[in-house]
């Protein structure tokens, strides 16, 4: 029934394919067609699967313990694709709780919280040439356009509380964003998290479904088609991934079976400053859960790179050096990067890390963490601080510009002008610039030229290329109407010219 080697590596913290054991899988059992449901719930007194197929538990489907361990499983005849389901547990305290499947491939559209049965097999890819020639871009241009798929353009924008607006689907975006990214001269599209998340305002950084591509934009195979289309136009796809924490929502991973499966047993370690829950990456089963999630997206979605969010919180507890190194999470990162370099040697592993921890992009064998690239947040902070000053005062602060060359070659850096710099009252890049209108645009062009010629790969957040005036708003599309104004359209042309200069000139 199960691959015992996979189960062994799951408990050993080295499993890259835990999704083959857990979740909902189509199966023929004793000549009957149906679905096998399996979950890891070591603290549960009992477990059952509930769903549309048994009237949400009115006809009980109790799961059996596998080998007297923490794994529960059941085969249910007649379950169809897209049927919704959850797991129901009796907790150690005797309570009854319902949970979404941590390994589900697809989820009900929010505000619904059920998992959906989905067949991941059968998509025919057309990107073999792309994959054959793919590298980690050490000796190639790497110029990344960072985007939120939902708010790049919207069919219908939010009209206030209770109205999330209407998004373009994965398939509709093929004809929208891909030609634009290609024409602008970018090499890669980085999408903000696509793992399922309940609250739009978290932008995807507080997830529930670490194997489930968000249903906001369609079905998993539609996302495959979108990535396939990117590859056929010569554009790589990088996905934001959040291994540090997850949401507290009742249907998610928090106190999954009434005990602490994914979270820290220690209350003082458990909760993050974002009102979310930290993964306890000292637990082997949690390590396998997240290792397998990354491998799953690389295998099934042909993702070209992963940008790991909040790595500072994986290096140090709460990202605070004074609280000490997070040894469990550090070991997980080394395992992840070691395994991925072996099994997916051309997939880029990128750390968003604000610490000065040395060796983030050094190989694990050389006492490094094994990432391929690290965001240079020091460069970003210093540069923007410098550019925000009136030019008459800049001569007193040239150290903000020169300091980056003291460490520019100590790691493999990406220079990020990202979404984090144009939200929460920080103003758009254009509005950070001092002076009158003419001076602000001139300063912005100066910033982009400096950014392009400074050592390091490049990343620019959507809208910045045409000098968006407002901060980024997740429930609204970009201000495309600004392109009717000469200063904005010429800024876009200028950025495009810089992109081609970077691609074509050594």
């Amino acid at each position: 029934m199960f691959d015992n080697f996979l189960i062994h590596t799951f408990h050993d913290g080295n499993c890259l394919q835990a999704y083959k054991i857990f979740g909902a899988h189509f199966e023929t059992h004793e000549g009957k067609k149906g679905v096998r449901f399996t979950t890891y719930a070591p603290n549960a007194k009992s477990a059952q699967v509930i769903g549309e197929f048994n009237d949400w538990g009115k006809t009980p489907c109790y799961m059996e313990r596998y080998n007297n361990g923490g794994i529960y499983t059941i085969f249910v005849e007649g379950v169809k694709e897209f049927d919704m389901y959850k797991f129901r547990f009796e907790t150690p305290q005797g309570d009854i709780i319902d949970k979404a499947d941590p390994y589900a491939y697809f989820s009900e559209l929010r505000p619904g919280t059920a998992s959906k049965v989905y067949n991941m097999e059968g998509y025919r890819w057309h990107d073999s040439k792309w994959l054959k020639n793919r590298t980690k871009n050490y000796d190639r241009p790497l110029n990344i356009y960072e985007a939120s798929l939902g708010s790049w353009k919207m069919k219908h924008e939010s009209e206030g509380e209770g109205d999330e607006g209407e998004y373009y689907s994965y398939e509709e975006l093929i004809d929208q964003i891909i030609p634009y990214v290609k024409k602008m001269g970018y090499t890669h599209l980085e999408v903000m998290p696509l793992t399922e998340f309940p609250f739009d305002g978290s932008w995807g950084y507080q997830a529930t479904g670490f194997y489930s591509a968000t249903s906001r934009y369609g079905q998993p195979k539609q996302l495959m088609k979108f990535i396939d289309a990117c590859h056929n136009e010569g554009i790589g796809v990088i996905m934001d991934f959040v291994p540090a924490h997850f949401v507290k929502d009742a249907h998610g991973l928090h106190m999954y079976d009434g005990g602490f499966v994914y979270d820290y047993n220690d209350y003082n370690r458990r909760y993050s400053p974002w009102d979310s829950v930290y993964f306890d990456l000292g637990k082997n089963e949690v390590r396998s859960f997240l290792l397998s999630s990354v491998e799953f997206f690389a295998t099934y979605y042909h993702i070209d790179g992963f940008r790991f969010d909040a790595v500072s919180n994986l290096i140090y507890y709460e990202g605070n050096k004074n609280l000490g190194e997070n040894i469990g999470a550090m070991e997980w990162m080394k395992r992840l990067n070691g395994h991925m370099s072996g099994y997916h040697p051309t997939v880029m592993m990128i750390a968003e890390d604000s610490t000065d921890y040395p060796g983030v992009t050094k190989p694990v064998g050389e006492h490094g963490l094994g990432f391929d690239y690290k965001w240079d947040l020091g460069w970003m902070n210093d540069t923007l601080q410098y550019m925000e000053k009136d030019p008459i005062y800049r001569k007193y602060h040239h150290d903000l510009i020169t300091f980056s060359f003291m460490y520019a070659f100590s790691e493999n850096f990406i220079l990020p002008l990202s979404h984090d710099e144009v939200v929460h009252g920080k103003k758009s890049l254009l509005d950070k610039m001092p002076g009158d209108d003419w001076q602000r645009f001139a300063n912005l062009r100066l910033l982009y030229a400096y950014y392009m010629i400074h050592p390091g790969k490049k990343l620019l957040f959507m809208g910045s290329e045409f000098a968006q005036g407002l901060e980024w708003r997740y429930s609204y599309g970009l201000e495309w109407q600004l392109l009717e104004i000469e200063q904005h359209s010429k800024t876009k042309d200028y950025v495009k010219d810089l992109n081609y200069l970077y691609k074509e000139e050594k």
Side-chain angles (χ1 to χ4, degrees), residues 376 379 382 399-411 413 450 454-455:
D376 193 344
W379 171 87
D382 289 349
D399 58 305
L400 291 172
I401 291 295
T402 59
F403 180 66
S404 62
F405 286 91
M406 301 293 290
Y407 64 86
F409 306 103
S410 62
E411 304 271 11
F413 282 119
Y450 168 66
H454 190 288

Side-chain angles (χ1 to χ4, degrees), residues 42-90:
N43 304 294
K45 293 171 73 173
S46 69
Q48 53 181 307
V49 63
I50 61 173
E52 295 179 289
F53 42 83
N54 67 353
D55 202 9
W56 295 100
K58 287 184 180 177
T59 304
C61 292
Y62 279 96
M63 306 172 79
E64 299 176 1
R65 278 186 182 267
Y66 180 74
N67 282 356
N68 297 317
I71 298 174
Y72 284 90
T73 189
I74 188 174
F75 173 81
V76 183
E77 184 183 357
V79 177
K80 305 182 300 297
E81 189 169 22
F82 303 112
D83 278 355
M84 292 192 289
Y85 70 99
K86 284 187 175 182
F87 294 123
R88 176 169 287 171
F89 301 115
E90 182 183 1

Side-chain angles (χ1 to χ4, degrees), residues 325-338:
E325 292 184 1
N326 187 339
I327 302 301
M330 298 260 277
E331 173 60 27
W332 175 78
M333 287 188 283
K334 292 176 183 178
R335 290 188 190 187
L336 170 70
N337 291 325

Side-chain angles (χ1 to χ4, degrees), residues 471-502:
E471 287 187 338
W472 171 56
R473 302 165 299 167
Y474 69 87
S475 53
Y476 298 89
L478 298 180
E479 296 179 281
W480 295 104
Q481 70 276 11
L482 292 177
L483 290 174
E484 297 173 11
I485 301 170
E486 185 180 33
Q487 286 173 305
H488 292 276
S489 64
K490 284 190 170 182
T491 299
K492 174 175 160 287
D493 291 341
Y494 173 77
V495 170
K496 176 183 171 184
D497 287 347
L498 282 176
N499 289 345
Y500 278 93
L501 180 75
Y502 171 65

